[in-house]
């Protein structure tokens, strides 16, 4: 990642609302090619809404979303996903009534054949290989999150949006998952990762931003941001 | 990173070639408000036109009042109502869909829980 590279993903003064309630009040953020940016902050700060706006699930009421310099505000989520903007949503977003294999089949929309997706997935997540015929709803939370990641990665992302990967998972599982995210980051994929629990993410992020009350309050190096985190979470 | 430079380039090309509908930021809430305003303006115009028609015995003036007041008012009222129904209904249907998805997930959780209680779960 280079400091001078033009951002692959950029938000300019983005405002968004649910009905009449505005939750984003002018968000500015940029992610360069190959950069990992951690978006941190307490619950209700607007982090997930920011992700929804970027991936096209929520249309902003004002401002712009730019991808590779092009204004894609209002583009449909499936268009963006096809181009390579992949979201792994909060709450996993897997199909609990389908098996692991059937869930992976959902990723074949990208044109990649199922056997290739399966081979790639089971190499990265051997545990999913053991459970390929199992209904996803009967698997543990960590395994479901692995599947969500595997399905996202099967689409060969250029930009990866990760929303609260650690939600409801044991610390060991979180560590394992973030180990994989670290590998993906090293392969040069641009990643915007949203987290409430910041320490693990700061370990591999290039930059971090603190989001509070629907605005990005501070952007800086992980070491600088880490020092301010307790004040943010405790309101000090 | 070498591999990814190619991927980034492909991504940039895909984004540039993407066909996007014009529109940008959301216009839905604005159109809903426009519908309400059109409806109110239409109602006022129709009433004013009606009063003018009733107050003037001259047929030519009555027609003019109907054309500029009553008919225009009714057209605005219909247009405004259509916009209001379209955009309030869309929002309602979206909430309804979210509710269906939520209920379906809750049902699945209940089934999984029941299976696990009976010792059938492997999670």
């Amino acid at each position: 990642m280079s400091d001078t590279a033009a951002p692959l993903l950029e938000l300019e003064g983005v405002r968004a609302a649910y009905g009449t309630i505005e939750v984003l009040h002018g968000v500015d953020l940029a992610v360069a090619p190959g950069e990992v940016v951690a978006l941190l902050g307490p619950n209700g700060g607007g982090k997930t809404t920011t992700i929804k706006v970027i991936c096209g699930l929520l249309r902003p009421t004002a401002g712009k979303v730019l991808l590779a310099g092009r204004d894609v505000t209002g583009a449909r989520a499936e268009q963006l996903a096809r181009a390579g903007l992949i979201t792994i949503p909060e709450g996993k977003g897997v199909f609990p009534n389908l098996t692991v294999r059937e869930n992976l089949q959902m990723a074949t929309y990208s044109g990649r054949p199922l056997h290739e997706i399966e081979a790639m997935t089971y190499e990265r997540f051997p545990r999913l290989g053991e459970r390929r015929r199992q209904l996803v709803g009967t698997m543990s939370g960590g395994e479901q999150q692995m599947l969500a990641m595997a399905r996202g990665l099967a689409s060969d992302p250029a930009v990866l949006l990760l929303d609260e990967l650690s939600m409801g998972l044991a610390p060991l599982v979180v560590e394992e998952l973030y180990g994989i995210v670290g590998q993906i980051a090293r392969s040069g994929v641009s990643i915007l990762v949203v987290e409430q629990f910041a320490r693990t993410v700061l370990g591999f992020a290039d930059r971090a931003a603190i989001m509070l009350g629907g605005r990005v309050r501070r952007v800086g190096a992980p070491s600088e941001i880490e020092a301010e985190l307790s004040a943010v979470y405790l309101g000090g | 990173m070498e591999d990814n430079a190619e991927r980034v380039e492909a991504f940039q090309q895909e984004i540039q070639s993407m066909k996007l509908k014009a529109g940008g930021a959301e216009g839905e809430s604005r159109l809903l408000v426009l519908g309400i305003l059109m409806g109110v303006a239409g109602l006022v115009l129709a009433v004013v036109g009606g009063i003018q028609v009733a107050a003037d015995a001259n047929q030519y003036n009555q027609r003019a009042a109907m054309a500029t007041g009553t008919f225009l008012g009714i057209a605005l009222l219909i247009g405004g109502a259509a916009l209001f129904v379209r955009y309030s209904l869309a929002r309602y249907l979206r909430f309804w869909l979210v509710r269906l998805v939520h209920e379906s997930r809750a049902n699945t959780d209940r089934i999984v829980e029941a299976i696990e209680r009976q010792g059938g779960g492997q999670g």
Side-chain angles (χ1 to χ4, degrees):
Chain A
M1 190 255 325
S2 133
D3 286 343
T4 54
L8 207 54
L9 164 66
E10 200 173 4
L11 302 183
E12 282 181 9
V14 166
R15 291 173 173 271
Y18 294 110
T20 51
I21 302 164
E22 188 175 87
V23 287
L24 298 185
H25 311 293
V27 173
D28 297 295
L29 195 70
V31 184
E35 187 182 32
V36 180
V37 176
L39 190 56
L40 311 169
N43 220 357
K47 304 185 299 295
T48 295
T49 305
T50 305
I51 293 277
K52 282 184 183 167
V53 167
I54 296 170
C55 70
L57 287 177
L58 180 68
R59 190 176 276 211
T61 50
K64 284 181 187 173
V65 179
L66 301 154
L67 279 179
R70 185 171 179 204
D71 183 357
V72 295
T73 317
R76 294 194 310 273
E78 65 270 23
Q79 276 184 300
L80 298 172
R82 247 183 225 118
L85 178 89
I86 302 298
T87 309
I88 297 174
E90 183 183 0
K92 304 167 194 83
V94 290
F95 298 95
N97 300 329
L98 303 181
T99 64
V100 169
R101 193 163 187 271
E102 287 163 344
N103 266 273
L104 291 175
Q105 205 161 5
M106 297 294 172
T108 52
Y109 72 87
S110 60
R112 191 175 271 195
L114 180 61
H115 67 84
E116 217 176 273
I117 292 175
E118 279 193 290
M120 201 179 83
T121 300
Y122 303 149
E123 190 191 335
R124 194 170 254 153
F125 304 99
R127 225 183 303 169
L128 293 181
E130 292 161 19
R131 299 183 183 277
R132 69 185 76 183
R133 294 188 200 288
Q134 189 172 330
L135 282 184
V136 169
T138 63
M139 299 191 330
S140 71
E143 286 162 351
Q144 289 187 25
Q145 192 61 275
M146 280 177 197
L147 178 61
M149 280 180 73
R151 211 180 48 194
L153 295 174
S155 310
D156 190 17
V159 179
L160 189 61
L161 309 176
L162 295 170
D163 192 5
E164 303 278 8
L165 210 60
S166 65
M167 189 180 262
L169 301 179
L172 271 177
V173 180
V174 174
E175 211 167 291
E176 188 182 344
L177 286 172
Y178 272 113
I180 294 161
V181 175
Q183 286 171 22
I184 300 163
R186 283 191 290 279
S187 76
V189 175
S190 302
I191 300 178
L192 177 65
V193 52
V194 159
E195 261 299 346
Q196 264 191 76
F197 305 102
R199 309 275 172 207
T200 323
V201 186
L202 288 171
F204 65 87
D206 297 304
R207 280 189 309 136
I210 295 177
M211 195 159 187
L212 268 176
R215 287 189 180 88
V216 173
R217 303 285 175 169
R218 176 106 164 75
V219 182
S223 52
E224 296 165 7
I225 297 296
E226 195 168 12
E228 294 176 28
L229 276 177
S230 355
V232 169
Y233 282 85
L234 300 173
Chain B
M1 196 72 82
E2 187 78 19
D3 289 348
N4 207 58
E6 272 175 35
R7 179 68 188 98
V8 168
E9 204 174 305
F11 178 69
Q12 284 168 337
Q13 279 171 6
E14 289 219 36
I15 291 293
Q16 296 308 326
S17 63
M18 198 186 275
K19 281 181 191 159
L20 294 174
K21 274 189 193 167
E26 186 199 21
E28 202 168 283
S29 53
R30 264 175 259 158
L31 286 168
L32 184 66
V33 171
L34 180 69
I36 295 169
L37 291 177
M38 276 171 67
V40 170
L43 194 66
V44 169
L45 264 179
V47 169
V48 169
I51 290 169
Q52 277 181 334
V53 169
D56 201 327
N58 185 314
Q59 272 192 347
Y60 293 109
N61 289 344
Q62 280 182 344
R63 279 182 200 157
M66 275 198 279
T68 55
T70 313
F71 295 149
L72 185 64
I74 290 171
L76 275 174
L77 192 61
I78 292 170
L83 277 178
F84 179 78
V85 169
R86 158 69 180 83
Y87 288 102
S88 58
L89 201 65
R91 192 165 291 183
Y92 169 75
L93 287 175
R94 230 174 275 143
F95 280 123
W96 180 67
L97 187 65
V98 168
R99 196 184 152 173
L100 274 185
V101 171
H102 177 77
E103 279 175 1
S104 154
R105 279 190 183 174
N107 275 338
T108 306
D109 289 347
R110 273 200 292 273
I111 291 167
V112 168
E113 215 172 279
I115 292 171
E116 278 174 355
R117 260 205 309 272
Q118 290 186 358
Q122 295 174 47

